[in-house]
Amino acid sequence: MFIHPWDAAISPAEWQQWLAGTDRFGILAVNNADPAHAPIMVPTHFTMAGDEILVHLARPNPVWRHLEAAPEVRLAVVGDYAYIPTYWRAKAGGPDEDGVPTSYYSSVQFVCTPTIVDDPQEKADILMAQLGDFQPEGKHAEVAPEAAPYGRMLSGLRCVRLAVVGVDAKFKYDDHNPVDHRIRVSDHLDARNRGLDHGAAREQRRRLAAIGEWRPNR
């Protein structure tokens, strides 16, 4: 992922806080075991657990033989995205139609080493961690091998521990442009109110408050 200096995360805490506020749903990219064919892309929820990412997938998923052969994989998350039209980005005094369109978005990508988990108790532990992440209010039975209602289902899935070895984080919200430009675009996004426009406007304002006028050697 190409990252301009002005699009980079201010600190690891920035992408961590952004990710904590998302649904933690991404695309797991795995090299095809046959290099003549395209990579395998698996959409999935995931749970952060320190320096690991926890995932579970159905046993019939065709990714497994590719995952078993992959020394590294990538998990990509994208959110708060919006198309920014030409006439929102025209230079002051110039024709609106001469503006250059762009996309706004937040993205975090993890490079990981995978470990496939088949032990029933370890799978149960991973599923309990994911339930605690996505369903903190509880209201679910315990996941335990040989115990109803979930124990008999464990054989139908496999889990993956992804040890994080690298993180790329990007927040693309025109931070190199003047403050008044960014304020104007945020207002346009809220007024348009389509798709994830409000999220993109919120992220742009957050970055503006943190960065202000962009300085290359800030």
Side-chain angles (χ1 to χ4, degrees), residues 4-42:
H4 281 296
W6 52 83
D7 295 332
I10 298 167
S11 69
E14 182 179 23
W15 67 258
Q16 291 165 357
Q17 290 168 7
W18 176 80
L19 195 64
T22 73
D23 288 331
R24 291 175 295 289
F25 190 89
I27 300 292
L28 178 64
V30 182
N31 282 339
N32 199 303
D34 182 347
H37 293 285
I40 312 300
M41 312 293 281
V42 183

PDB file of all heavy atoms in Angstrom, residues 4-42:
ATOM      1  N   HIS A   4       1.637   8.286   1.216  1.00  0.00           N
ATOM      2  CA  HIS A   4       2.315   9.580   1.259  1.00  0.00           C
ATOM      3  C   HIS A   4       2.620   9.938   2.720  1.00  0.00           C
ATOM      4  O   HIS A   4       1.893   9.497   3.632  1.00  0.00           O
ATOM      5  CB  HIS A   4       1.426  10.675   0.662  1.00  0.00           C
ATOM      6  CG  HIS A   4       1.405  10.706  -0.829  1.00  0.00           C
ATOM      7  ND1 HIS A   4       2.522  10.988  -1.594  1.00  0.00           N
ATOM      8  CD2 HIS A   4       0.380  10.520  -1.707  1.00  0.00           C
ATOM      9  CE1 HIS A   4       2.197  10.971  -2.876  1.00  0.00           C
ATOM     10  NE2 HIS A   4       0.913  10.679  -2.974  1.00  0.00           N
ATOM     11  N   PRO A   5       3.617  10.763   2.972  1.00  0.00           N
ATOM     12  CA  PRO A   5       3.907  11.155   4.365  1.00  0.00           C
ATOM     13  C   PRO A   5       2.706  11.774   5.075  1.00  0.00           C
ATOM     14  O   PRO A   5       2.498  11.541   6.263  1.00  0.00           O
ATOM     15  CB  PRO A   5       5.055  12.162   4.215  1.00  0.00           C
ATOM     16  CG  PRO A   5       5.732  11.789   2.929  1.00  0.00           C
ATOM     17  CD  PRO A   5       4.629  11.301   2.031  1.00  0.00           C
ATOM     18  N   TRP A   6       1.912  12.553   4.345  1.00  0.00           N
ATOM     19  CA  TRP A   6       0.768  13.218   4.981  1.00  0.00           C
ATOM     20  C   TRP A   6      -0.419  12.276   5.217  1.00  0.00           C
ATOM     21  O   TRP A   6      -1.369  12.645   5.910  1.00  0.00           O
ATOM     22  CB  TRP A   6       0.318  14.421   4.147  1.00  0.00           C
ATOM     23  CG  TRP A   6       0.072  14.114   2.700  1.00  0.00           C
ATOM     24  CD1 TRP A   6      -1.052  13.593   2.141  1.00  0.00           C
ATOM     25  CD2 TRP A   6       0.996  14.306   1.630  1.00  0.00           C
ATOM     26  NE1 TRP A   6      -0.908  13.435   0.788  1.00  0.00           N
ATOM     27  CE2 TRP A   6       0.344  13.881   0.434  1.00  0.00           C
ATOM     28  CE3 TRP A   6       2.296  14.821   1.542  1.00  0.00           C
ATOM     29  CZ2 TRP A   6       0.954  13.935  -0.813  1.00  0.00           C
ATOM     30  CZ3 TRP A   6       2.894  14.882   0.295  1.00  0.00           C
ATOM     31  CH2 TRP A   6       2.233  14.435  -0.861  1.00  0.00           C
ATOM     32  N   ASP A   7      -0.368  11.081   4.643  1.00  0.00           N
ATOM     33  CA  ASP A   7      -1.428  10.091   4.858  1.00  0.00           C
ATOM     34  C   ASP A   7      -1.064   9.071   5.936  1.00  0.00           C
ATOM     35  O   ASP A   7      -1.891   8.217   6.286  1.00  0.00           O
ATOM     36  CB  ASP A   7      -1.717   9.317   3.563  1.00  0.00           C
ATOM     37  CG  ASP A   7      -2.283  10.198   2.457  1.00  0.00           C
ATOM     38  OD1 ASP A   7      -2.933  11.205   2.792  1.00  0.00           O
ATOM     39  OD2 ASP A   7      -2.079   9.870   1.270  1.00  0.00           O
ATOM     40  N   ALA A   8       0.147   9.134   6.450  1.00  0.00           N
ATOM     41  CA  ALA A   8       0.612   8.112   7.398  1.00  0.00           C
ATOM     42  C   ALA A   8      -0.050   8.283   8.759  1.00  0.00           C
ATOM     43  O   ALA A   8      -0.473   9.383   9.139  1.00  0.00           O
ATOM     44  CB  ALA A   8       2.130   8.197   7.550  1.00  0.00           C
ATOM     45  N   ALA A   9      -0.142   7.192   9.492  1.00  0.00           N
ATOM     46  CA  ALA A   9      -0.660   7.253  10.856  1.00  0.00           C
ATOM     47  C   ALA A   9       0.260   8.123  11.704  1.00  0.00           C
ATOM     48  O   ALA A   9       1.484   8.086  11.576  1.00  0.00           O
ATOM     49  CB  ALA A   9      -0.754   5.857  11.450  1.00  0.00           C
ATOM     50  N   ILE A  10      -0.332   8.917  12.562  1.00  0.00           N
ATOM     51  CA  ILE A  10       0.436   9.786  13.444  1.00  0.00           C
ATOM     52  C   ILE A  10       1.222   8.954  14.450  1.00  0.00           C
ATOM     53  O   ILE A  10       2.353   9.282  14.816  1.00  0.00           O
ATOM     54  CB  ILE A  10      -0.510  10.761  14.171  1.00  0.00           C
ATOM     55  CG1 ILE A  10      -1.231  11.656  13.148  1.00  0.00           C
ATOM     56  CG2 ILE A  10       0.244  11.612  15.181  1.00  0.00           C
ATOM     57  CD1 ILE A  10      -2.400  12.418  13.722  1.00  0.00           C
ATOM     58  N   SER A  11       0.634   7.849  14.888  1.00  0.00           N
ATOM     59  CA  SER A  11       1.269   6.943  15.840  1.00  0.00           C
ATOM     60  C   SER A  11       0.532   5.611  15.761  1.00  0.00           C
ATOM     61  O   SER A  11      -0.580   5.543  15.224  1.00  0.00           O
ATOM     62  CB  SER A  11       1.185   7.499  17.265  1.00  0.00           C
ATOM     63  OG  SER A  11      -0.163   7.467  17.717  1.00  0.00           O
ATOM     64  N   PRO A  12       1.110   4.533  16.311  1.00  0.00           N
ATOM     65  CA  PRO A  12       0.368   3.270  16.346  1.00  0.00           C
ATOM     66  C   PRO A  12      -0.972   3.398  17.059  1.00  0.00           C
ATOM     67  O   PRO A  12      -1.938   2.713  16.716  1.00  0.00           O
ATOM     68  CB  PRO A  12       1.321   2.333  17.087  1.00  0.00           C
ATOM     69  CG  PRO A  12       2.684   2.892  16.812  1.00  0.00           C
ATOM     70  CD  PRO A  12       2.500   4.382  16.786  1.00  0.00           C
ATOM     71  N   ALA A  13      -1.048   4.277  18.059  1.00  0.00           N
ATOM     72  CA  ALA A  13      -2.311   4.440  18.786  1.00  0.00           C
ATOM     73  C   ALA A  13      -3.429   4.899  17.863  1.00  0.00           C
ATOM     74  O   ALA A  13      -4.602   4.551  18.088  1.00  0.00           O
ATOM     75  CB  ALA A  13      -2.127   5.431  19.932  1.00  0.00           C
ATOM     76  N   GLU A  14      -3.099   5.648  16.815  1.00  0.00           N
ATOM     77  CA  GLU A  14      -4.148   6.145  15.918  1.00  0.00           C
ATOM     78  C   GLU A  14      -4.835   4.989  15.200  1.00  0.00           C
ATOM     79  O   GLU A  14      -6.068   4.898  15.199  1.00  0.00           O
ATOM     80  CB  GLU A  14      -3.572   7.130  14.901  1.00  0.00           C
ATOM     81  CG  GLU A  14      -4.654   7.697  13.989  1.00  0.00           C
ATOM     82  CD  GLU A  14      -4.135   8.709  12.982  1.00  0.00           C
ATOM     83  OE1 GLU A  14      -2.921   8.690  12.669  1.00  0.00           O
ATOM     84  OE2 GLU A  14      -4.948   9.515  12.489  1.00  0.00           O
ATOM     85  N   TRP A  15      -4.051   4.100  14.586  1.00  0.00           N
ATOM     86  CA  TRP A  15      -4.712   3.006  13.870  1.00  0.00           C
ATOM     87  C   TRP A  15      -5.344   2.012  14.839  1.00  0.00           C
ATOM     88  O   TRP A  15      -6.378   1.405  14.521  1.00  0.00           O
ATOM     89  CB  TRP A  15      -3.774   2.318  12.883  1.00  0.00           C
ATOM     90  CG  TRP A  15      -2.604   1.545  13.416  1.00  0.00           C
ATOM     91  CD1 TRP A  15      -1.303   1.936  13.449  1.00  0.00           C
ATOM     92  CD2 TRP A  15      -2.627   0.216  13.967  1.00  0.00           C
ATOM     93  NE1 TRP A  15      -0.519   0.949  13.994  1.00  0.00           N
ATOM     94  CE2 TRP A  15      -1.299  -0.115  14.305  1.00  0.00           C
ATOM     95  CE3 TRP A  15      -3.625  -0.722  14.192  1.00  0.00           C
ATOM     96  CZ2 TRP A  15      -0.947  -1.345  14.868  1.00  0.00           C
ATOM     97  CZ3 TRP A  15      -3.287  -1.957  14.758  1.00  0.00           C
ATOM     98  CH2 TRP A  15      -1.964  -2.256  15.086  1.00  0.00           C
ATOM     99  N   GLN A  16      -4.753   1.850  16.010  1.00  0.00           N
ATOM    100  CA  GLN A  16      -5.337   0.942  17.002  1.00  0.00           C
ATOM    101  C   GLN A  16      -6.708   1.440  17.464  1.00  0.00           C
ATOM    102  O   GLN A  16      -7.666   0.660  17.577  1.00  0.00           O
ATOM    103  CB  GLN A  16      -4.386   0.781  18.186  1.00  0.00           C
ATOM    104  CG  GLN A  16      -3.122   0.008  17.846  1.00  0.00           C
ATOM    105  CD  GLN A  16      -2.023   0.158  18.881  1.00  0.00           C
ATOM    106  OE1 GLN A  16      -2.173   0.892  19.863  1.00  0.00           O
ATOM    107  NE2 GLN A  16      -0.896  -0.527  18.667  1.00  0.00           N
ATOM    108  N   GLN A  17      -6.811   2.730  17.713  1.00  0.00           N
ATOM    109  CA  GLN A  17      -8.087   3.298  18.151  1.00  0.00           C
ATOM    110  C   GLN A  17      -9.109   3.259  17.019  1.00  0.00           C
ATOM    111  O   GLN A  17     -10.289   2.971  17.254  1.00  0.00           O
ATOM    112  CB  GLN A  17      -7.877   4.727  18.645  1.00  0.00           C
ATOM    113  CG  GLN A  17      -7.116   4.804  19.953  1.00  0.00           C
ATOM    114  CD  GLN A  17      -6.662   6.201  20.307  1.00  0.00           C
ATOM    115  OE1 GLN A  17      -7.018   7.188  19.650  1.00  0.00           O
ATOM    116  NE2 GLN A  17      -5.853   6.316  21.351  1.00  0.00           N
ATOM    117  N   TRP A  18      -8.659   3.534  15.798  1.00  0.00           N
ATOM    118  CA  TRP A  18      -9.586   3.468  14.666  1.00  0.00           C
ATOM    119  C   TRP A  18     -10.099   2.042  14.498  1.00  0.00           C
ATOM    120  O   TRP A  18     -11.302   1.824  14.335  1.00  0.00           O
ATOM    121  CB  TRP A  18      -8.899   3.938  13.385  1.00  0.00           C
ATOM    122  CG  TRP A  18      -9.776   3.810  12.186  1.00  0.00           C
ATOM    123  CD1 TRP A  18     -10.770   4.676  11.796  1.00  0.00           C
ATOM    124  CD2 TRP A  18      -9.790   2.743  11.224  1.00  0.00           C
ATOM    125  NE1 TRP A  18     -11.394   4.215  10.656  1.00  0.00           N
ATOM    126  CE2 TRP A  18     -10.812   3.031  10.285  1.00  0.00           C
ATOM    127  CE3 TRP A  18      -9.042   1.581  11.058  1.00  0.00           C
ATOM    128  CZ2 TRP A  18     -11.084   2.193   9.202  1.00  0.00           C
ATOM    129  CZ3 TRP A  18      -9.317   0.759   9.990  1.00  0.00           C
ATOM    130  CH2 TRP A  18     -10.322   1.065   9.079  1.00  0.00           C
ATOM    131  N   LEU A  19      -9.204   1.073  14.568  1.00  0.00           N
ATOM    132  CA  LEU A  19      -9.603  -0.316  14.383  1.00  0.00           C
ATOM    133  C   LEU A  19     -10.557  -0.765  15.486  1.00  0.00           C
ATOM    134  O   LEU A  19     -11.517  -1.500  15.233  1.00  0.00           O
ATOM    135  CB  LEU A  19      -8.370  -1.211  14.348  1.00  0.00           C
ATOM    136  CG  LEU A  19      -8.556  -2.626  13.812  1.00  0.00           C
ATOM    137  CD1 LEU A  19      -8.952  -2.594  12.349  1.00  0.00           C
ATOM    138  CD2 LEU A  19      -7.275  -3.429  13.997  1.00  0.00           C
ATOM    139  N   ALA A  20     -10.318  -0.318  16.712  1.00  0.00           N
ATOM    140  CA  ALA A  20     -11.185  -0.700  17.825  1.00  0.00           C
ATOM    141  C   ALA A  20     -12.610  -0.193  17.623  1.00  0.00           C
ATOM    142  O   ALA A  20     -13.560  -0.766  18.161  1.00  0.00           O
ATOM    143  CB  ALA A  20     -10.618  -0.166  19.138  1.00  0.00           C
ATOM    144  N   GLY A  21     -12.766   0.877  16.841  1.00  0.00           N
ATOM    145  CA  GLY A  21     -14.086   1.435  16.580  1.00  0.00           C
ATOM    146  C   GLY A  21     -14.753   0.885  15.340  1.00  0.00           C
ATOM    147  O   GLY A  21     -15.852   1.338  14.985  1.00  0.00           O
ATOM    148  N   THR A  22     -14.126  -0.084  14.664  1.00  0.00           N
ATOM    149  CA  THR A  22     -14.707  -0.689  13.465  1.00  0.00           C
ATOM    150  C   THR A  22     -15.345  -2.027  13.824  1.00  0.00           C
ATOM    151  O   THR A  22     -15.269  -2.486  14.964  1.00  0.00           O
ATOM    152  CB  THR A  22     -13.643  -0.946  12.383  1.00  0.00           C
ATOM    153  OG1 THR A  22     -12.820  -2.051  12.783  1.00  0.00           O
ATOM    154  CG2 THR A  22     -12.776   0.278  12.146  1.00  0.00           C
ATOM    155  N   ASP A  23     -15.929  -2.670  12.821  1.00  0.00           N
ATOM    156  CA  ASP A  23     -16.480  -4.016  13.015  1.00  0.00           C
ATOM    157  C   ASP A  23     -15.412  -5.097  12.900  1.00  0.00           C
ATOM    158  O   ASP A  23     -15.713  -6.287  12.982  1.00  0.00           O
ATOM    159  CB  ASP A  23     -17.575  -4.293  11.973  1.00  0.00           C
ATOM    160  CG  ASP A  23     -18.830  -3.500  12.260  1.00  0.00           C
ATOM    161  OD1 ASP A  23     -19.086  -3.205  13.439  1.00  0.00           O
ATOM    162  OD2 ASP A  23     -19.555  -3.178  11.307  1.00  0.00           O
ATOM    163  N   ARG A  24     -14.148  -4.691  12.678  1.00  0.00           N
ATOM    164  CA  ARG A  24     -13.028  -5.619  12.543  1.00  0.00           C
ATOM    165  C   ARG A  24     -13.352  -6.732  11.551  1.00  0.00           C
ATOM    166  O   ARG A  24     -13.359  -7.919  11.878  1.00  0.00           O
ATOM    167  CB  ARG A  24     -12.608  -6.160  13.917  1.00  0.00           C
ATOM    168  CG  ARG A  24     -11.975  -5.062  14.760  1.00  0.00           C
ATOM    169  CD  ARG A  24     -11.642  -5.464  16.151  1.00  0.00           C
ATOM    170  NE  ARG A  24     -12.805  -5.789  16.956  1.00  0.00           N
ATOM    171  CZ  ARG A  24     -13.704  -4.909  17.399  1.00  0.00           C
ATOM    172  NH1 ARG A  24     -13.598  -3.637  17.069  1.00  0.00           N
ATOM    173  NH2 ARG A  24     -14.713  -5.300  18.155  1.00  0.00           N
ATOM    174  N   PHE A  25     -13.616  -6.273  10.351  1.00  0.00           N
ATOM    175  CA  PHE A  25     -13.904  -7.166   9.230  1.00  0.00           C
ATOM    176  C   PHE A  25     -12.945  -6.807   8.105  1.00  0.00           C
ATOM    177  O   PHE A  25     -12.806  -5.633   7.750  1.00  0.00           O
ATOM    178  CB  PHE A  25     -15.351  -6.991   8.759  1.00  0.00           C
ATOM    179  CG  PHE A  25     -15.796  -8.040   7.772  1.00  0.00           C
ATOM    180  CD1 PHE A  25     -16.359  -9.227   8.215  1.00  0.00           C
ATOM    181  CD2 PHE A  25     -15.645  -7.852   6.407  1.00  0.00           C
ATOM    182  CE1 PHE A  25     -16.776 -10.202   7.310  1.00  0.00           C
ATOM    183  CE2 PHE A  25     -16.046  -8.817   5.503  1.00  0.00           C
ATOM    184  CZ  PHE A  25     -16.619  -9.996   5.965  1.00  0.00           C
ATOM    185  N   GLY A  26     -12.247  -7.813   7.575  1.00  0.00           N
ATOM    186  CA  GLY A  26     -11.261  -7.516   6.550  1.00  0.00           C
ATOM    187  C   GLY A  26     -11.157  -8.621   5.521  1.00  0.00           C
ATOM    188  O   GLY A  26     -11.962  -9.555   5.488  1.00  0.00           O
ATOM    189  N   ILE A  27     -10.152  -8.491   4.664  1.00  0.00           N
ATOM    190  CA  ILE A  27      -9.872  -9.466   3.620  1.00  0.00           C
ATOM    191  C   ILE A  27      -8.525 -10.120   3.924  1.00  0.00           C
ATOM    192  O   ILE A  27      -7.503  -9.440   3.999  1.00  0.00           O
ATOM    193  CB  ILE A  27      -9.829  -8.813   2.224  1.00  0.00           C
ATOM    194  CG1 ILE A  27     -11.160  -8.143   1.893  1.00  0.00           C
ATOM    195  CG2 ILE A  27      -9.465  -9.872   1.171  1.00  0.00           C
ATOM    196  CD1 ILE A  27     -12.310  -9.100   1.700  1.00  0.00           C
ATOM    197  N   LEU A  28      -8.553 -11.425   4.109  1.00  0.00           N
ATOM    198  CA  LEU A  28      -7.329 -12.197   4.297  1.00  0.00           C
ATOM    199  C   LEU A  28      -6.819 -12.598   2.917  1.00  0.00           C
ATOM    200  O   LEU A  28      -7.509 -13.295   2.171  1.00  0.00           O
ATOM    201  CB  LEU A  28      -7.607 -13.427   5.153  1.00  0.00           C
ATOM    202  CG  LEU A  28      -6.439 -14.379   5.406  1.00  0.00           C
ATOM    203  CD1 LEU A  28      -5.340 -13.688   6.213  1.00  0.00           C
ATOM    204  CD2 LEU A  28      -6.915 -15.642   6.116  1.00  0.00           C
ATOM    205  N   ALA A  29      -5.621 -12.139   2.574  1.00  0.00           N
ATOM    206  CA  ALA A  29      -5.020 -12.425   1.268  1.00  0.00           C
ATOM    207  C   ALA A  29      -3.912 -13.457   1.431  1.00  0.00           C
ATOM    208  O   ALA A  29      -2.983 -13.269   2.222  1.00  0.00           O
ATOM    209  CB  ALA A  29      -4.458 -11.151   0.647  1.00  0.00           C
ATOM    210  N   VAL A  30      -4.033 -14.545   0.670  1.00  0.00           N
ATOM    211  CA  VAL A  30      -3.091 -15.670   0.766  1.00  0.00           C
ATOM    212  C   VAL A  30      -2.582 -15.987  -0.633  1.00  0.00           C
ATOM    213  O   VAL A  30      -3.378 -16.120  -1.572  1.00  0.00           O
ATOM    214  CB  VAL A  30      -3.780 -16.914   1.368  1.00  0.00           C
ATOM    215  CG1 VAL A  30      -2.790 -18.057   1.520  1.00  0.00           C
ATOM    216  CG2 VAL A  30      -4.439 -16.586   2.704  1.00  0.00           C
ATOM    217  N   ASN A  31      -1.278 -16.122  -0.775  1.00  0.00           N
ATOM    218  CA  ASN A  31      -0.730 -16.488  -2.074  1.00  0.00           C
ATOM    219  C   ASN A  31      -1.282 -17.838  -2.520  1.00  0.00           C
ATOM    220  O   ASN A  31      -1.407 -18.768  -1.720  1.00  0.00           O
ATOM    221  CB  ASN A  31       0.796 -16.573  -2.025  1.00  0.00           C
ATOM    222  CG  ASN A  31       1.446 -15.213  -2.062  1.00  0.00           C
ATOM    223  OD1 ASN A  31       0.849 -14.227  -2.490  1.00  0.00           O
ATOM    224  ND2 ASN A  31       2.672 -15.132  -1.589  1.00  0.00           N
ATOM    225  N   ASN A  32      -1.610 -17.931  -3.801  1.00  0.00           N
ATOM    226  CA  ASN A  32      -2.064 -19.200  -4.354  1.00  0.00           C
ATOM    227  C   ASN A  32      -0.897 -20.196  -4.367  1.00  0.00           C
ATOM    228  O   ASN A  32       0.228 -19.835  -4.719  1.00  0.00           O
ATOM    229  CB  ASN A  32      -2.600 -18.985  -5.770  1.00  0.00           C
ATOM    230  CG  ASN A  32      -3.478 -20.108  -6.243  1.00  0.00           C
ATOM    231  OD1 ASN A  32      -3.059 -21.265  -6.270  1.00  0.00           O
ATOM    232  ND2 ASN A  32      -4.691 -19.788  -6.642  1.00  0.00           N
ATOM    233  N   ALA A  33      -1.162 -21.415  -3.951  1.00  0.00           N
ATOM    234  CA  ALA A  33      -0.109 -22.436  -3.977  1.00  0.00           C
ATOM    235  C   ALA A  33       0.390 -22.685  -5.391  1.00  0.00           C
ATOM    236  O   ALA A  33       1.518 -23.141  -5.589  1.00  0.00           O
ATOM    237  CB  ALA A  33      -0.631 -23.731  -3.359  1.00  0.00           C
ATOM    238  N   ASP A  34      -0.455 -22.383  -6.375  1.00  0.00           N
ATOM    239  CA  ASP A  34      -0.050 -22.420  -7.781  1.00  0.00           C
ATOM    240  C   ASP A  34       0.206 -20.985  -8.213  1.00  0.00           C
ATOM    241  O   ASP A  34      -0.738 -20.209  -8.408  1.00  0.00           O
ATOM    242  CB  ASP A  34      -1.150 -23.052  -8.640  1.00  0.00           C
ATOM    243  CG  ASP A  34      -0.753 -23.164 -10.104  1.00  0.00           C
ATOM    244  OD1 ASP A  34       0.254 -22.532 -10.508  1.00  0.00           O
ATOM    245  OD2 ASP A  34      -1.456 -23.854 -10.863  1.00  0.00           O
ATOM    246  N   PRO A  35       1.464 -20.566  -8.363  1.00  0.00           N
ATOM    247  CA  PRO A  35       1.762 -19.161  -8.644  1.00  0.00           C
ATOM    248  C   PRO A  35       1.205 -18.665  -9.966  1.00  0.00           C
ATOM    249  O   PRO A  35       1.187 -17.454 -10.209  1.00  0.00           O
ATOM    250  CB  PRO A  35       3.297 -19.106  -8.634  1.00  0.00           C
ATOM    251  CG  PRO A  35       3.734 -20.516  -8.845  1.00  0.00           C
ATOM    252  CD  PRO A  35       2.684 -21.387  -8.244  1.00  0.00           C
ATOM    253  N   ALA A  36       0.742 -19.559 -10.822  1.00  0.00           N
ATOM    254  CA  ALA A  36       0.148 -19.123 -12.083  1.00  0.00           C
ATOM    255  C   ALA A  36      -1.269 -18.598 -11.893  1.00  0.00           C
ATOM    256  O   ALA A  36      -1.845 -18.017 -12.820  1.00  0.00           O
ATOM    257  CB  ALA A  36       0.130 -20.278 -13.090  1.00  0.00           C
ATOM    258  N   HIS A  37      -1.836 -18.799 -10.700  1.00  0.00           N
ATOM    259  CA  HIS A  37      -3.210 -18.389 -10.442  1.00  0.00           C
ATOM    260  C   HIS A  37      -3.256 -17.256  -9.420  1.00  0.00           C
ATOM    261  O   HIS A  37      -2.304 -17.012  -8.677  1.00  0.00           O
ATOM    262  CB  HIS A  37      -4.036 -19.581  -9.956  1.00  0.00           C
ATOM    263  CG  HIS A  37      -4.225 -20.624 -11.010  1.00  0.00           C
ATOM    264  ND1 HIS A  37      -5.091 -20.470 -12.069  1.00  0.00           N
ATOM    265  CD2 HIS A  37      -3.633 -21.831 -11.186  1.00  0.00           C
ATOM    266  CE1 HIS A  37      -5.041 -21.541 -12.847  1.00  0.00           C
ATOM    267  NE2 HIS A  37      -4.156 -22.383 -12.333  1.00  0.00           N
ATOM    268  N   ALA A  38      -4.383 -16.577  -9.403  1.00  0.00           N
ATOM    269  CA  ALA A  38      -4.556 -15.397  -8.553  1.00  0.00           C
ATOM    270  C   ALA A  38      -4.516 -15.769  -7.073  1.00  0.00           C
ATOM    271  O   ALA A  38      -4.834 -16.901  -6.685  1.00  0.00           O
ATOM    272  CB  ALA A  38      -5.886 -14.720  -8.881  1.00  0.00           C
ATOM    273  N   PRO A  39      -4.148 -14.802  -6.216  1.00  0.00           N
ATOM    274  CA  PRO A  39      -4.181 -15.051  -4.774  1.00  0.00           C
ATOM    275  C   PRO A  39      -5.599 -15.386  -4.298  1.00  0.00           C
ATOM    276  O   PRO A  39      -6.585 -15.062  -4.953  1.00  0.00           O
ATOM    277  CB  PRO A  39      -3.710 -13.715  -4.174  1.00  0.00           C
ATOM    278  CG  PRO A  39      -2.968 -13.036  -5.282  1.00  0.00           C
ATOM    279  CD  PRO A  39      -3.639 -13.459  -6.547  1.00  0.00           C
ATOM    280  N   ILE A  40      -5.659 -16.008  -3.146  1.00  0.00           N
ATOM    281  CA  ILE A  40      -6.932 -16.336  -2.514  1.00  0.00           C
ATOM    282  C   ILE A  40      -7.314 -15.181  -1.598  1.00  0.00           C
ATOM    283  O   ILE A  40      -6.494 -14.724  -0.786  1.00  0.00           O
ATOM    284  CB  ILE A  40      -6.823 -17.637  -1.685  1.00  0.00           C
ATOM    285  CG1 ILE A  40      -6.143 -18.744  -2.494  1.00  0.00           C
ATOM    286  CG2 ILE A  40      -8.192 -18.064  -1.179  1.00  0.00           C
ATOM    287  CD1 ILE A  40      -6.854 -19.108  -3.765  1.00  0.00           C
ATOM    288  N   MET A  41      -8.548 -14.705  -1.698  1.00  0.00           N
ATOM    289  CA  MET A  41      -9.025 -13.586  -0.884  1.00  0.00           C
ATOM    290  C   MET A  41     -10.213 -14.062  -0.061  1.00  0.00           C
ATOM    291  O   MET A  41     -11.218 -14.519  -0.618  1.00  0.00           O
ATOM    292  CB  MET A  41      -9.435 -12.412  -1.776  1.00  0.00           C
ATOM    293  CG  MET A  41      -8.422 -12.047  -2.845  1.00  0.00           C
ATOM    294  SD  MET A  41      -6.893 -11.376  -2.170  1.00  0.00           S
ATOM    295  CE  MET A  41      -7.398  -9.699  -1.829  1.00  0.00           C
ATOM    296  N   VAL A  42     -10.102 -13.946   1.255  1.00  0.00           N
ATOM    297  CA  VAL A  42     -11.130 -14.474   2.154  1.00  0.00           C
ATOM    298  C   VAL A  42     -11.679 -13.350   3.021  1.00  0.00           C
ATOM    299  O   VAL A  42     -10.957 -12.804   3.867  1.00  0.00           O
ATOM    300  CB  VAL A  42     -10.562 -15.578   3.066  1.00  0.00           C
ATOM    301  CG1 VAL A  42     -11.667 -16.166   3.939  1.00  0.00           C
ATOM    302  CG2 VAL A  42      -9.886 -16.669   2.245  1.00  0.00           C
TER     303      VAL A  42
END
